Each structure stands twice: as C-alpha cells, then as structure tokens.
Amino acid sequence: MESLMSRSATTPSFAVIPGGQVHRVLEGRHREVVDIIEAAYRTHGAGDTVNPPSYFLRFPDRPTSRIIALPASIGGESRVDGLKWISSFPENVAAGIPRASAVLVLNDHDTGYPLACLESSIISAARTAASAALAADKLSAGRERPRRIGFFGVGMIARYIHAYLAGTGWSFDEAGVFDLSAEYAGGFADYLGRASGDGTKITVHDSAEELIRSSDLLVFATTAGTPHVTDPGLFAHNPLVLHVSLRDLAPEIILGAVNIVDDIEHCLKADTSPHLAEQQVGNRDFIDGTLYDVLTGRVTPPADRPVIFSPFGLGVLDLAVGKQIYDTVLAEGELAVVEDFFHEMRRYG
C-alpha cells in the first residue's frame, strides 16, 4: 500500500498508533500473523533484509534490567525500515506492571522519514508467539504431533504462545505449568483452564524436572540470565523445545540435541545457551540449521533426538508485523497523524 510519505514527499506525516489499535488489528488473526512471520523469515533467508546485531543498553545500578535496540530493514512485500526499542525490567512485575515495554518506529523506504511510532510490547509478543507457533508446526512435521505441552515461565510471552498455538489449530490432552512463583503458576493454570476448556488436563508441577519429563512440547519463557536446567537426561523422551528465553538450558543439553535457530550469527551471541555451547566446544557444528532451512526443506529434524528451537528474535519480524498494522490502520482511515511533526522543511528557512 502507498504510504503517506510516498504520496507527498514535500509534506511528511508522522502518526502514533497506540496499543489499543495494535491489539484491535491483531486480535483473532493468529494465522494471518503466522503467515506474515513465515514470509519475513523467507525474505530474510533470501537475503532481502538488513538485520544488524542488537544493541544492549545495561545499567550498573540495575543489573537485572536492560533496554535493547533492534534496527532492521526488510524488503519483500513489507518494504520498510525501522527500529524496535524494547526494555526488560523484571522488577516491574512485583510492582504490578509488565516486565517489558516497547515502541517500534517505522521509516519510509524511499525517504528515510519516520512514518509512525507504534506501541510495540504487543507486536513483540505477537511476533515471538507467531514464530514459536510456526516452528512448532514445521519442526513437528516428522514426528508424532505433541499432545502434552509444558510451560516453564508464565508471563505475557507464554500466554501469547499458547494463544497462537490454539489459534493455529493446536489442542492438547495435557498442559503442565511450572514457575518459581507458585502464585504466578496458579494464575497461569487458571488462564489455561479458561482458554482450553474441559478437554485439557492442567497440572501445576512442583518441580522443573516433573514438568520436563511429562511434556512432549516444552515452552521456555523465563527471565533467566544463566542456565538453570542442567540434566540432559530430562530430555531422554525427545521432546520438541521452544527455547524462547534462550538462556535456560546448559550447554550439555544443547550439545545433545538437534538445534534449530532463527539466525546463527544473532543467536550465538550475548551468552545465550547456544553461545555458551559454542564457547565450550570451540565450534558451531552442533547447530543443525535455521528455521529458513526447515521451511525450504534443506533440513528435516529427526524424531529420535530432542529438537530445540532457539530464536534470538529478529527485528525484521517486528517490522513486518508493524507495517501490516500501519497499512491496516491507514486503509481504515483511523491513522492518528501528529500535525506539523516535521517543522523545518525548507532548506534555507
């Protein structure tokens, strides 16, 4: 769709898209968002993106917190540049507000002018969940489809992953929950009960070991900064693991599994579990391929080993979803333009 910028390069416009609009556009469109994410992965795999390393802003006085900048550019149907600026402040949870907050800035492909600023915690959760749902579908193709799901970590990302799995046709006989906070685990179990209906047996487990052993599809969505699951024997039943939080698994577990990532260079950085495994063995031979390799048939993970999907999270995914939201709101005539945002538009005054 023609953007505001390209229609009138002499009078740039800038819009703000708040979370309510973002939520409305995305609500109930799980399959559509998964398709957008798959297209973005294919565009990235074909080389029609620019996705530099993420930049981590850390604070000596707040060591658990960080703000991350993800600049990116995507071609294909999206054809947009931009930046996601996302913070993670785990202490927020105790104060009753979400851990993560974010904005996404979209820049016009032809002029570089910012088109819009979108509330992006919802976009980030949706693209993460859609990526996980896509991986679960494609990586389970060569094995019996999992009927027992387990959630390790029960925040917003876990909720979105469950919603995207359910919204793309997944159902489960059993759902397990474990969290270091019994209160949070109980709350998530209540959510699963409401969302899943009577057809799913829901169990809050007393230990991580119980959860892992009783799940065929595992979702790690914690705030862990270092590995805390260390026993490869827990994965002897060869589950499919969506290692979304990236730092939960010890290198020994990574080295004993089939490893699929979203982008090798991005994932093997910042002391992720695959990065720690690389440091331990001195090579990347344990990486079996990317999700793009799976999508194109270059890699077919075997069913007789654990399969771990470790997505670092690419900025191009946020851009693809954000551009779709922008185009939708623009087409509906609901775009909230900030008048005179770009004020100095004459070179010599």
Side-chain angles (χ1 to χ4, degrees), residues 75-269:
E77 295 185 4
S78 298
R79 201 168 177 268
V80 70
D81 313 322
L83 172 77
K84 179 169 77 168
W85 181 238
I86 182 166
S87 67
S88 175
F89 280 54
E91 303 304 322
N92 286 352
V93 176
I97 60 176
R99 169 189 62 85
S101 58
V103 293
L104 176 69
V105 176
L106 301 180
N107 293 74
D108 183 74
H109 180 277
D110 295 324
T111 68
Y113 270 85
L115 292 173
C117 178
L118 298 82
E119 195 287 328
S120 197
S121 66
I122 296 171
I123 294 173
S124 187
R127 66 85 151 148
T128 300
S131 170
L134 176 66
D137 180 55
K138 301 304 180 182
L139 294 173
S140 63
R143 59 174 62 206
E144 185 176 350
R145 197 167 176 89
R147 301 295 304 172
R148 304 179 301 167
I149 189 170
F151 291 91
F152 197 145
V154 294
M156 180 178 178
I157 296 299
R159 174 165 59 86
Y160 265 73
I161 290 175
H162 176 266
Y164 269 79
L165 288 170
T168 52
W170 287 78
S171 62
F172 301 95
D173 299 328
E174 300 177 24
V177 178
F178 177 77
D179 194 272
L180 296 178
S181 166
E183 177 186 355
Y184 298 159
F188 193 74
D190 289 342
Y191 156 76
L192 287 176
R194 296 192 307 272
S196 304
D198 297 331
T200 303
K201 177 185 176 183
I202 299 167
T203 304
V204 177
H205 290 279
D206 295 327
S207 69
E209 291 78 11
E210 288 181 4
L211 175 78
I212 295 169
R213 292 186 189 279
S214 62
S215 303
D216 305 313
L217 175 61
L218 276 159
V219 178
F220 283 90
T222 74
T223 58
T226 56
H228 52 95
V229 179
T230 60
D231 181 6
L234 296 174
F235 300 83
H237 59 300
N238 301 325
L240 173 57
V241 181
L242 304 177
H243 188 209
V244 176
S245 39
L246 286 175
R247 295 171 177 85
D248 303 275
L249 306 178
E252 291 75 16
I253 295 172
I254 296 292
L255 295 172
V258 176
N259 289 282
I260 304 297
V261 300
D262 54 357
D263 183 285
I264 295 175
E265 290 299 327
H266 284 79
C267 190
L268 273 68
K269 282 186 173 70

